[in-house]
Amino acid sequence: MSRVLSSCCRPSPTTPILTCRLRSDTSVLMSASAPPELIRRRRFMRFRFAKEISMKHYDAVIVGSGAAGSVMAFRLAERGLRVLVLEKGKREDPQSFVHNEMAMLPRLYKEGGVQTSVDHDLVIMQGCTVGGSTVINNAIWLRADLTRVLPDWKTRGADLSESRINQAYTDLESKLHVSPLPAGLANKGTDVFLRGSQALDISAHLLNNNRSECIGCGWCNYGCRYNRKASMLVTFIPWAESCGAELIDQVQDIRFGIQGDAVKSVDYTRHGHKETVTADRVVVCAGAIGSSELLLRNGITQRGNVGKHFHVLGGVMVTAEMQQPVNGYDGIGLTAMAEVGPESVIETFFSPPGAFSITLGGWFATHLERMRRYNYFAQAGVMVGTDPRGTISLDRKGRTKIDLSFNKNDLARLRRAVEAVAKIFFAAGAVSVLPATYRFVELTHPGDLALLDEWIRHPDDLLLGSAHPQGGNVMHEDPKKGVVDTTFRVHGWDNLYLVDASVFPSNIWANCQATVMALSHTASDYVVQ
Ligand SMILES: Cc1cc2nc3c(=O)[nH]c(=O)nc-3n(C[C@H](O)[C@H](O)[C@H](O)COP(=O)(O)OP(=O)(O)OC[C@H]3O[C@@H](n4cnc5c(N)ncnc54)[C@H](O)[C@@H]3O)c2cc1C
């Protein structure tokens, strides 16, 4: 900790500090004509030393290379810290990304894209690759409404500075070239959505994004093979590496070596080989769910708070069939949002045929018939923020259990949001509106909207999904009520920090990447001290 931090980036920051001392010790042990007892000891020591010699020391070990981990890695490395990032997923070459959903889902998504809650009613999508969920996200850059979020967090024991977070947003926006999404890249479904909103006097607008010179192929959720999306894989990770940070991918089974109130070493397995590194600080950035899993597997429960207060921003897709072809696959799908009130988030969407087919209700022949009309569809996603009432836990076999159900309140909000977006599509001339329901539901007239109350009563009446899991290791000043304090230090630990979407005390009601990165940006100032 007392190391003087240099302010410039250094090409090779990892000096294996144990090496010199142990090498000289080993050479003494290897002197000639030793008695058999010493030879046996020598063999044992050689084995031990071989292991220790390879043990590197870092100023900071970061677990997870997504939105939070990458920003943290860069911010620490640029200030001269020796940084190691450990990532569970594989480092992919963007040029190897193909426009094939079945090929890309297992490569880039956690559990191949089918991570679900215990009751299987909710699919929670996350990335598992170097760059985390930013590699598969839609590159929409949305600041959270801090005037709404921070007062709520304050009542929940987490008083954060609005100006610091705003400064972080501004810095990140300049680094990632955040700009308004060009209208010419949006798909035609966006026109439908904006036209319908305008007809109803609903404020709707194109969003900001972190892409540069995008060609609008629309395959953002399967990795950008053209490097136009400023994901962490092509920005903060290489920037951190240029400042000397190291990254190891495909690590499994991370175990903390604990001494007193500090994590002194980190063990991990890679391709069957166990490795150990020592560290002055450890920063957990494994994402919502992942960070809770990691702490629980290491026996860190924080008085039962780890895994508590999990929540999502999630909901359903609503598809509209138009009279004329829309060719929604041609261009970017997630482009615009409509402001229909504080209790839901409504954004345009579209996806390639495989993912699209899952969001389209109906079965067998009906489903096939609908899919044949693929190029006539426009789509929007409606999302609501659940209260922080879910839990992440490990079952008796050590498997992760995600326990969160949409309650009556969430479903009522979703019904109203589905109704709002259906009205938008009808106002734009839709011939039918198809919410993503388990049963076959087709609205052919605004008068049908009254039926939604009957059709949407239980969570499994809808095909629910979320790309924005949050909470599970929430921030709270009181160690009895939360996992991290307002400096992102895990309560009661000297050198263990945690920052990612899991620290959000309650829902931010916005796409999460900007706020995750902004919190990591802020947290790095505490971690570096
Ligand atoms: C399909 C999709 C589309 C999205 N679109 C948008 C969008 O347009 N705009 C937006 O703002 N947000 C979007 N998001 C959400 C946004 O990407 C996430 O909120 C954000 O990336 C979360 O950051 P994080 O650091 O908390 O987690 P992640 O970015 O998910 O990173 C966590 C990393 O930790 C790794 N990890 C987990 N466990 C371990 C372990 N035990 N050991 C080592 N590594 C581990 C994971 O593999 C992963 O790489 C989208 C998400 C998805 C899935």
Side-chain angles (χ1 to χ4, degrees), residues 132-248:
S133 302
T134 69
V135 176
I136 53 168
N137 79 15
N138 297 81
I140 289 304
W141 186 270
L142 198 57
R143 289 186 180 201
D145 176 359
L146 296 183
T147 59
R148 173 184 184 181
V149 172
L150 292 186
D152 185 50
W153 285 10
K154 190 174 174 185
T155 64
R156 295 171 189 270
D159 190 4
L160 293 183
S161 151
E162 185 176 335
S163 65
R164 279 191 80 172
I165 299 175
N166 277 327
Q167 274 167 23
Y169 281 140
T170 305
D171 182 42
L172 292 160
E173 284 161 7
S174 110
K175 286 197 167 58
L176 294 174
H177 302 292
V178 171
S179 59
L181 201 142
L185 292 178
N187 70 358
K188 290 279 182 295
T190 305
D191 296 344
V192 171
F193 183 81
L194 294 177
R195 198 170 65 234
S197 302
Q198 198 180 13
L200 298 176
D201 259 344
I202 293 172
S203 161
H205 52 88
L206 289 171
L207 293 158
N208 283 339
N209 75 151
N210 49 310
R211 295 180 181 89
S212 292
E213 297 177 33
C214 172
I215 59 167
C217 74
W219 281 81
C220 316
N221 295 136
Y222 304 91
C224 179
R225 59 174 283 134
Y226 310 108
N227 282 347
R228 308 300 161 93
K229 176 167 76 176
S231 78
M232 299 296 99
L233 176 62
V234 295
T235 56
F236 278 96
I237 289 289
W239 298 342
E241 287 172 324
S242 73
C243 295
E246 293 176 31
L247 184 143
I248 301 178

Side-chain angles (χ1 to χ4, degrees), residues 188-189 192 195 320-328 373-378 428-431:
K188 290 279 182 295
V192 171
R195 198 170 65 234
E321 184 177 340
M322 307 305 292
Q323 257 164 346
Q324 301 299 322
V326 178
N327 297 332
R373 315 269 305 156
Y374 179 58
N375 53 339
Y376 284 78
F377 292 133
V431 290

Side-chain angles (χ1 to χ4, degrees), residues 66-68 87-88 125 129 132-133 137-140 286 500-501 511-513:
E87 166 58 48
K88 190 187 205 168
M125 286 152 285
T129 181
S133 302
N137 79 15
N138 297 81
I140 289 304
D500 54 31
N511 312 42
C512 294
Q513 70 164 350

Side-chain angles (χ1 to χ4, degrees), residues 79-97:
R79 285 183 254 184
L81 266 67
R82 291 169 299 188
V83 172
L84 173 67
V85 181
L86 296 174
E87 166 58 48
K88 190 187 205 168
K90 191 176 171 202
R91 186 176 200 138
E92 297 277 357
D93 174 1
Q95 287 188 358
S96 74
F97 294 158

